[in-house]
Amino acid sequence: MDIAELKREARAAASKRRAEAHALLKDRAGAMMAARGLPPEIGMAAGAVSGFIPYKSEITTIPMLERLHAEGWRTCLPVVIAMGQPLAFRAWAPGEPLAPGAWDIPAPLDSAPEVTPDVLLVPMLAFDRRGFRLGYGGGFYDRTLEKLRALKKVVAIGVAYGAQMVEEAPAGLHDAPLDYVMTERETFACG
């Protein structure tokens, strides 16, 4: 079985596990992560952090963005420019208006300034302790991390329910590893 087939099968199982976790924890998981904040070694030196508006049964990063914004971080959200391209990021603070973006996922208004994040909160279907994640298959975050890491040091933090952890996420040559994973239960450095 090739890597594409492995990922297809893994996505189906991961989607089911995530939906089950979401049904149980959606009302409190984001707040539980936000209560811990970012890993202390990241510190305030980073400056700009991207989150995401939850799609389907993704865990919410809104409570974390609220906390970080209150702590002085510049917050932003991803914007899909086109298939096969890295994501762009536009400034957004919790409570500001949003408009439908790709797949009707709410995104900052087109008038919001572009931001280059230093820390990215990354959604996923599944993850492992090595730092590999399984996404939807579009490669947006892999291309984005490759582009940003060529420019400067960025920290990629996968954000998910603990139930989404697998022993080994299928990973190909172009899959960009995460630096940390945050769940409602724990935060850990990958590797």
Side-chain angles (χ1 to χ4, degrees):
M1 186 178 305
D2 70 8
I3 190 74
E5 290 173 52
L6 282 171
K7 286 184 175 186
R8 262 192 303 279
E9 285 185 11
R11 280 187 189 99
S15 292
K16 183 177 183 219
R17 278 193 311 276
R18 187 178 73 184
E20 290 167 354
H22 185 71
L24 292 172
L25 297 165
K26 67 181 175 188
D27 295 331
R28 62 185 188 277
M32 292 166 75
M33 283 189 319
R36 286 194 317 272
L38 294 179
E41 54 273 22
I42 292 175
M44 274 298 292
V49 61
S50 74
F52 55 88
I53 301 296
Y55 178 65
K56 297 184 178 180
S57 59
E58 290 173 344
I59 195 168
T60 183
T61 63
I62 301 301
M64 181 68 78
L65 292 174
E66 289 169 345
R67 175 187 174 149
L68 296 174
H69 183 72
E71 291 177 356
W73 287 79
R74 187 168 188 198
T75 53
C76 60
L77 295 174
V79 177
V80 173
I81 301 302
M83 294 301 291
Q85 297 298 311
L87 298 165
F89 297 87
R90 292 197 177 278
W92 179 80
E96 291 182 350
L98 295 164
W103 301 284
D104 286 328
I105 299 170
L109 303 178
D110 289 343
S111 58
E114 283 199 36
V115 175
T116 302
D118 302 287
V119 176
L120 289 85
L121 302 179
V122 181
M124 50 194 172
L125 284 168
F127 64 92
D128 63 30
R129 287 203 171 265
R130 301 173 305 154
F132 288 103
R133 64 181 273 280
L134 186 64
Y136 293 112
F140 290 105
Y141 276 95
D142 295 316
R143 281 188 294 280
T144 301
L145 288 169
E146 180 182 12
K147 175 185 171 186
L148 291 176
R149 286 174 170 162
L151 299 173
K152 65 180 187 171
K153 179 172 174 36
V154 296
V155 177
I157 303 173
V159 180
Y161 296 105
Q164 293 174 247
M165 185 163 60
V166 296
E167 188 165 325
E168 189 172 325
L173 293 174
H174 299 291
D175 291 324
L178 301 165
D179 299 299
Y180 295 88
V181 169
M182 293 186 77
T183 74
E184 77 283 2
R185 291 183 244 162
E186 66 176 330
T187 299
F188 61 87
C190 299

